[in-house]
Amino acid sequence: MSTTEQRVAVVTGGARGIGAATAVRLAAEGRAVAVIDLDEAACKDTVERITAAGGKALAVGCDVSDEAQVEAAIARIAEELGAPTILVNNAGVLRDNLLFKMSASDWDTVMNVHLRGAFLMSRAVQKHMVDANFGRIVNLSSSSALGNRGQVNYSAAKAGLQGLTKTLAKELGKFGVTANSVAPGFIVTEMTKATADRVGMDFEEFQAAAATQIPVQRVGRPEDIANAIAFFTGDAAGFVSGQVMYVAGGPLN
Ligand code: NAP
């Protein structure tokens, strides 16, 4: 690729929360951004924020756990925006419950979106990265990878993403591709609001209680995570690969 050509980034789960902030941030870094979410119409706000600021973006409806949809989405992105060489596997769901109450279907849903989704997206995008001899993959892990009550499915998936990341780094490094994980702590999004609702707490009180346990004494914002992802996806981060960065306002136990 010539130095003037715009790199194409794919952000899954980009309709809201961390994915939306990341898409906007990567566009501000000069990337053309494919904003993927389950519902293409739901990506409209993110795309409009990018185009209103003078950037280039494409809304793409795709279930990341569906092999055919992933292949079709990446083919469409390559056709309409150009070959994708930056991938942020961010799409996620929660199906929290204590082990004895967790259904096999809630286990499967979480594994399919986080792990199968990241696998399918990485496999679909890697050929473009290998052809370009350049690539950046960032997988969203979580502080829950270290274990979290009520999240046996989610914590296993988020720990699994760290293993996926390290293996991608080892397999793809010789093609100029890096892979890293960003593991957020408490970030204010619909996902943490759903957790507050589940435990019957007002969301503001839930955030205030969480902040007291965080060394920097505040909860995170989606932009805090987008900043870390911008670093890992940058041209300057080519010697940083296979790493897990916890972005949680302090060290975790
Ligand atoms: P969010 O607000 O719930 O956004 C997740 C997005 O992913 C939603 O737009 C959702 O679409 C989309 N999505 C779900 N399943 C999908 C699928 N199969 N295919 C395509 N898109 C799908 O979540 P968030 O808080 O921004 O979290 C983003 C990522 O960070 C997740 O991987 C999450 O596990 C991770 N994380 C978050 C926190 C936190 O504190 N918020 C902490 C650690 C890690 P729908 O609305 O249609 O479901």
Side-chain angles (χ1 to χ4, degrees):
M1 152 174 151
S2 82
T3 49
T4 53
E5 210 174 314
Q6 192 174 31
R7 292 200 196 283
V8 175
V10 177
V11 180
T12 70
R16 63 172 197 233
I18 293 169
T22 300
V24 168
R25 175 61 196 268
L26 296 189
E29 300 279 322
R31 318 307 188 185
V33 183
V35 181
I36 288 185
D37 214 287
L38 277 174
D39 177 15
E40 184 167 320
C43 301
K44 195 168 151 252
D45 279 359
T46 308
V47 167
E48 279 177 4
R49 282 170 67 192
I50 291 170
T51 50
K56 194 168 168 188
L58 175 71
V60 180
C62 169
D63 177 347
V64 298
S65 67
D66 183 299
E67 186 174 19
Q69 288 188 37
V70 167
E71 292 295 326
I74 296 306
R76 181 180 160 208
I77 291 162
E79 175 76 22
E80 294 187 31
L81 276 187
T85 56
I86 296 171
L87 170 64
V88 182
N89 284 311
N90 167 82
V93 290
L94 293 180
R95 293 290 185 274
D96 294 353
N97 225 328
L98 293 174
L99 175 64
F100 77 103
K101 289 192 281 188
M102 184 170 289
S103 67
S105 136
D106 283 347
W107 172 271
D108 290 343
T109 298
V110 167
M111 291 300 148
N112 284 340
V113 176
H114 294 269
L115 270 182
R116 182 179 158 88
F119 154 66
L120 291 174
M121 289 294 307
S122 302
R123 193 184 63 178
V125 169
Q126 60 82 31
K127 53 184 169 287
H128 296 292
M129 296 178 169
V130 169
D131 285 349
N133 200 33
F134 174 90
R136 298 282 184 265
I137 299 173
V138 177
N139 296 315
L140 270 288
S141 180
S142 167
S143 53
S144 295
L146 301 171
N148 199 25
R149 188 179 156 79
Q151 292 195 318
V152 72
N153 50 1
Y154 184 80
S155 63
K158 291 307 199 186
L161 280 164
Q162 296 187 10
L164 175 81
T165 300
K166 289 173 197 289
T167 301
L168 291 176
K170 289 188 177 188
E171 284 192 20
L172 299 176
K174 65 181 169 197
F175 304 109
V177 179
T178 66
N180 291 285
S181 277
V182 172
F186 188 120
I187 310 298
V188 177
T189 69
E190 290 296 319
M191 188 174 270
T192 35
K193 180 169 187 313
T195 304
D197 291 347
R198 182 174 61 82
V199 299
M201 272 182 84
D202 171 76
F203 192 34
E204 295 295 327
E205 286 171 21
F206 190 61
Q207 290 177 51
T212 65
Q213 305 302 310
I214 298 171
V216 301
Q217 296 287 289
R218 70 165 175 87
V219 290
R221 294 178 287 266
E223 291 72 20
D224 291 313
I225 305 306
N227 289 338
I229 295 170
F231 166 70
F232 282 124
T233 55
D235 285 20
F239 204 56
V240 183
S241 196
Q243 302 305 302
V244 179
M245 184 195 272
Y246 285 90
V247 182
L252 299 160
N253 294 332

